[in-house]
Amino acid sequence: MQRKILSSVLAIMFCVGAMIITLDAKAEYPDQPIEFVVHSSPGGGSDLFSRTVAHMLETQGLVKQKINVNNRTGGSGTVAMNYMKSKAGSAYVLMQFTSSPLSTMIRGTSKMKLEEITFLPMMTMDVNMAWTRSESKFNDMKEVIAYAKKHPNGVSVAYGSTAGSEHICAHRISKAAGVKLNMVGFGGGGPAAVAMLGGHVDFSFGNLEEQMGQLEAGKVKSLGTMTPERLSQMPDLPTMLEQGINATFIQPRGFWAPPNMPDYAVKFWEDALLKLYKSKGFQDFLKKSYMEGAYMTSADTKVYITKFLKELKVDVDELGAFKKKK
């Protein structure tokens, strides 16, 4: 009987101790540097977005600790996703999601499963469009398609990560127009843009933030936007739909965390990211970057991404770049 009472007392003491530790952790969180994982190389859209969010969270005082951006490239998001998996239970690692790391779960190259992810809020819908050098012979996507029909694989297009946003855009254009494009991967949006600027490929896809400097300098021109409707900021730029090509794509950007991130950390980031989203600084950044604000709670983000993945799977399967070797 005494042994039973002693066991009960020890169990209660253990529970109370655990509660105290949890309360202390919650009260002090975050008490060490935060790591923002980026799946692509520096200079691309994902890298720029993560660094901007990290800088604003720090400078607006929403996060008191240093946020370090860590580029873990390789495998079109596989390396970064596996790293996140290895950090299960951590409260100090976050990662930005885009279509590229999402596709790693579809093709089975990452160890992370959808049901294991700790979802955090979505922040934006990023606009993708086709770019070429200002001196290019092509002035819109109709001219590109007309040339490609006469010269199969004679038009080269750069993309960053395999099954990333640029690759998906190129695939949807190729499929909708019924042409064969020579798609060349460069491992990141930044290197892909450099290849286009250097004349190594005929055109590329990317977002406005990546190309804004080159656009303002007159070094690039857009061939059309992948949005369903014209951008209010660029009313003279036609959509692909207006050019007779039934293709659209918008890139979701938000954050997730390793499996089993503690609830107190999830709550902290939900609050911090919502405050950041509502801030004038972030809204000005969205406007300057031509991004569409699209804040969603963690729960709504999970629902949206689950649906988005089903649509993305069609593209990934059709690209056929991830079929397992027999």
Side-chain angles (χ1 to χ4, degrees), residues 35 116 167 269 297:
E35 182 180 0
E116 295 177 314
H167 201 187
W269 287 107
T297 65

Side-chain angles (χ1 to χ4, degrees), residues 55-274:
H55 176 72
M56 287 187 174
L57 286 170
E58 290 177 354
T59 55
Q60 293 188 23
L62 298 173
V63 176
K64 304 297 183 184
Q65 293 290 328
K66 174 70 177 175
I67 301 176
N68 299 309
V69 176
N70 184 0
N71 298 86
R72 287 188 171 270
T73 61
S76 300
T78 300
V79 171
M81 291 293 280
N82 288 346
Y83 178 73
M84 293 289 287
K85 171 86 172 182
S86 74
K87 295 295 182 180
S90 174
Y92 291 89
V93 181
L94 281 75
M95 178 178 171
Q96 181 196 158
F97 64 74
T98 63
S99 56
S100 184
L102 283 168
S103 71
T104 67
M105 292 183 290
I106 296 174
R107 63 188 198 256
T109 56
S110 76
K111 297 176 183 176
M112 183 84 85
K113 307 298 181 187
L114 179 65
E115 59 271 19
E116 295 177 314
I117 292 171
T118 301
F119 278 92
L120 298 173
M122 187 160 80
M123 305 291 282
T124 72
M125 295 287 191
D126 204 354
V127 173
N128 282 81
M129 55 183 62
W131 300 96
T132 190
R133 291 175 299 150
S134 58
E135 63 268 31
S136 169
K137 61 185 176 185
F138 301 122
N139 294 300
D140 55 38
M141 191 53 70
K142 286 191 298 185
E143 294 181 2
V144 174
I145 297 305
Y147 187 88
K149 286 184 175 178
K150 294 180 180 178
H151 306 85
N153 287 319
V155 178
S156 56
V157 51
Y159 65 85
S161 303
T162 302
S165 60
E166 303 96 349
H167 201 187
I168 298 299
C169 287
H171 169 67
R172 291 188 179 183
I173 290 289
S174 174
K175 177 184 175 182
V179 297
K180 290 185 178 180
L181 299 174
N182 179 21
M183 301 184 195
V184 186
F186 287 89
V194 171
M196 181 270 291
L197 285 167
H200 304 295
V201 294
D202 292 304
F203 74 105
S204 66
F205 284 92
N207 53 52
L208 268 170
E209 187 182 17
E210 291 175 326
Q211 295 292 347
M212 182 55 66
Q214 305 298 337
L215 180 67
E216 291 175 347
K219 294 183 178 180
V220 300
K221 57 185 174 183
S222 179
L223 300 169
T225 173
M226 294 292 292
T227 51
E229 299 177 352
R230 291 193 182 200
L231 299 173
S232 60
Q233 302 93 332
M234 301 177 73
D236 295 331
L237 180 66
T239 66
M240 299 302 176
L241 296 175
E242 290 177 300
Q243 298 184 62
I245 305 165
N246 187 24
T248 60
F249 182 82
I250 295 181
Q251 174 85 289
R253 292 191 189 278
F255 291 90
W256 58 29
N260 303 319
M261 172 181 261
D263 290 343
Y264 64 81
V266 172
K267 180 67 168 55
F268 173 88
W269 287 107
E270 286 180 330
D271 292 344
L273 292 173
L274 179 58

